[in-house]
Amino acid sequence: MIERIGIVGGGQLGRMMTEAAKPLGFEVTVIDPVENCPAGQVGADQIQAPLSDLEAIDSLAHDVDVITWEIEHIPAEYLEYLANEGHDIEPDPHTLAIIQDKFIQKELLRNNGIPVAPYSEHLDESNFIGGGPFIVKSRKGGYDGRGNLVVTDLNRILIEDHFGETSVYVEQVLPFEAELSVIVARDKSGQTVAYPPVETVHEENICHTVVVAQEDSKLPITKQAIDIAQDTLKLLSGAGVFAIEMFVVNGQIVVNEIAPRVHNSGHHTIEANVTSQFEQQIRAVTGLPLGSTELRVGAAAMINILGTREKPLTREGLDRVLSRPDTHVHFYGKSSRPARKIGHITVLGGSKEYVKLEVSDARKELII
Amino acid sequence: MIERIGIVGGGQLGRMMTEAAKPLGFEVTVIDPVENCPAGQVGADQIQAPLSDLEAIDSLAHDVDVITWEIEHIPAEYLEYLANEGHDIEPDPHTLAIIQDKFIQKELLRNNGIPVAPYSEHLDESNFIGGGPFIVKSRKGGYDGRGNLVVTDLNRILIEDHFGETSVYVEQVLPFEAELSVIVARDKSGQTVAYPPVETVHEENICHTVVVAQEDSKLPITKQAIDIAQDTLKLLSGAGVFAIEMFVVNGQIVVNEIAPRVHNSGHHTIEANVTSQFEQQIRAVTGLPLGSTELRVGAAAMINILGTREKPLTREGLDRVLSRPDTHVHFYGKSSRPARKIGHITVLGGSKEYVKLEVSDARKELII
């Protein structure tokens, strides 16, 4: 039986995985460059090193029974090598390598009949029916919108000026009605589950608010989103949680991106669902059976707490936040810095409209 | 604002308090004699010392903003001294001193009109109408039935032989229909809340199974239990969680004992209630408002995982336990030892009968 789990990355996602792993009796070791990283503060042992440090990853592989990660920008090839050497790496590092290159990821999706926005590796408008606007994305390393550039036309000089030598591809920007995310998971026996789809609202490219409601479970778009997420999961190998991010365009699902890990759009599952995405990840990678993804409540909403300026964490207004009904706060043990994710608030309630309003009001009470 | 919480004791209760404190942004320091104690494993800093070590308590008081505890057998007088010196100690250490002496505790209850079983400090049957059996209890230091002796008559020689110099008192054993526990809490502004009463089943004097159900909320005995728990809370000072243990005798509540702390009869609140008893304790002692005690589900049952023989923790059967619906496992990071509490299982469901059966079946799957 697996006793010790290794996680590449010890930020908030590694922290919440650690919080889920400990009650199940697992030990956790993380690699993270930051001294006393968020996961280290809740009992994970820490190898203090950059996430790209192959020696640290090698040492982790020899310390633990299974390796997983909280972030996709890590040495996939080296993890593949370790997997070939017989180490248990979940999910499949080959899948990680594909997802890391957003262009290859898009190819995988399109070649397997998953609906995606028109895209091309060539900066040539004639590849696109209907024209701009376009979004130029660096193929590797981008997250939270970093590495993306929105343009009205494909001016090569402007784009090369922005990206330099970075390898990019271009996608057509589609006018969407909503952004959805579906978290799916696969255990080691091949069983899969899907969480109820959530609506995500991004502000300045960062996931800002997440809302989910029982009332949406009967909608045709909900069924379509789950089906497409399950179809997407079939293209990915290994055990673990994956987040499938989508747009709704003219009432149809278009897949945007895959995150091969626990995801910001699943934080509400800690309180709102029978099994949290973090416990699900721990179950999946350790060979335990998956748990129910059912919502316990009518609706839930999650809002990120973003840092402001560089300073230690203050929690002024926490008393007002916690005086609100069924409102739950998670700080990550990080100091404040502009736009840094330092915590989140989840509100549970009866309806989508109620929790959306409540979570936004709750956030306003907190002065960071 | 309070930043750092000190807990005297870092066993499973200190561990689950730490797990509740971290997401709210608090740091935790515990005193515990065991190296890498359960709370230390989930991110609490640890002062490794016996719980009776006054120097350690003094050092804790200077390190933290508020002190609380997970066990009542600690130096109450020294905590009173520290409180008088201006340290924030919650709940009131004077209340702790009263509760520590079970005879004085009984006097407090009886003198204030709280129903208790007949008791006496004298080993004299003529003090009791109706005769034995009796339970002789050491006034201080007993827990989980340790320090108790059940006798059919008050044979002084036999009792002195058993207890030696230990100061004891005697209670009449009442034939009870059920054992209940009500967890109540008070915040620093004086607001109080009560959790739905639970039925506890003891086996060999150790709390074994706890069951709670919405279906019981309308019963007259439920209302009576909550009223008496609230009346009992009025006799105790300071902020924090208290467990009021009771018997139902001829359809009436009789208070057995007060635990001035989070309690084994509240572990199910982690998953079953809007606010867990552990988060409630953290809110109470840090000056935050209390949270809702509402049950999220129809019913919940909790069963302790007790150690068998001296050996490291094995978790054989955990996969079978976790394949069961809405079943949650908490290990405490302790090795196995006869009758030692090393974890618990909670099952949520629709009805009392269902969760009672399920939690018992779940426990049988696990080989410790």
Side-chain angles (χ1 to χ4, degrees), chain B residues 91 95 182-184 186 233 236-238 240-244 258-261:
Chain B
T95 283
V182 184
I183 291 178
V184 287
R186 180 191 293 115
L233 180 57
L236 314 169
S237 327
V241 163
F242 299 83
I244 318 296
I258 301 162
R261 54 168 170 85

Side-chain angles (χ1 to χ4, degrees), chain B residues 307-313 334-338 340 342 368:
Chain B
T308 49
R309 54 200 177 77
E310 199 100 19
K311 61 174 183 172
L313 176 64
K334 292 159 86 171
S335 61
S336 179
R337 189 182 297 171
R340 188 185 209 191
I342 61 172
I368 295 296

Side-chain angles (χ1 to χ4, degrees), chain A residues 2 23-24 296 315 326 331, chain B residues 22-24 296 315 326 331:
Chain A
I2 284 173
L24 296 179
R296 272 201 203 289
R315 294 170 295 152
D326 220 339
F331 286 109
Chain B
K22 290 275 174 173
L24 296 179
R296 272 201 202 291
R315 294 170 296 153
D326 220 340
F331 287 109

Side-chain angles (χ1 to χ4, degrees), chain A residues 2-3 15 22-26 41-43 274 283 288-289 296 315 319 322 326 328-331 348, chain B residues 2-3 15 22-26 41-43 274 283 288-289 296 315 318-319 322 326 328-331 348:
Chain A
I2 284 173
E3 301 286 344
R15 176 181 172 105
K22 291 275 173 172
L24 296 179
F26 295 106
Q41 294 171 37
V42 297
V274 171
R283 288 177 178 229
L288 290 168
R296 272 201 203 289
R315 294 170 295 152
D319 54 343
L322 291 180
D326 220 339
H328 306 270
V329 177
H330 295 258
F331 286 109
L348 310 191
Chain B
I2 284 173
E3 301 286 344
R15 176 181 173 104
K22 290 275 174 173
L24 296 179
F26 295 106
Q41 295 171 36
V42 298
V274 170
R283 288 177 179 230
L288 290 167
R296 272 201 202 291
R315 294 170 296 153
L318 180 59
D319 53 343
L322 291 179
D326 220 340
H328 306 271
V329 177
H330 294 260
F331 287 109
L348 311 190

Side-chain angles (χ1 to χ4, degrees), chain A residues 5-31:
Chain A
I5 302 164
I7 306 175
V8 184
Q12 66 266 24
L13 300 178
R15 176 181 172 105
M16 290 185 274
M17 279 193 254
T18 304
E19 288 172 335
K22 291 275 173 172
L24 296 179
F26 295 106
E27 298 297 327
V28 178
T29 305
V30 300
I31 297 176

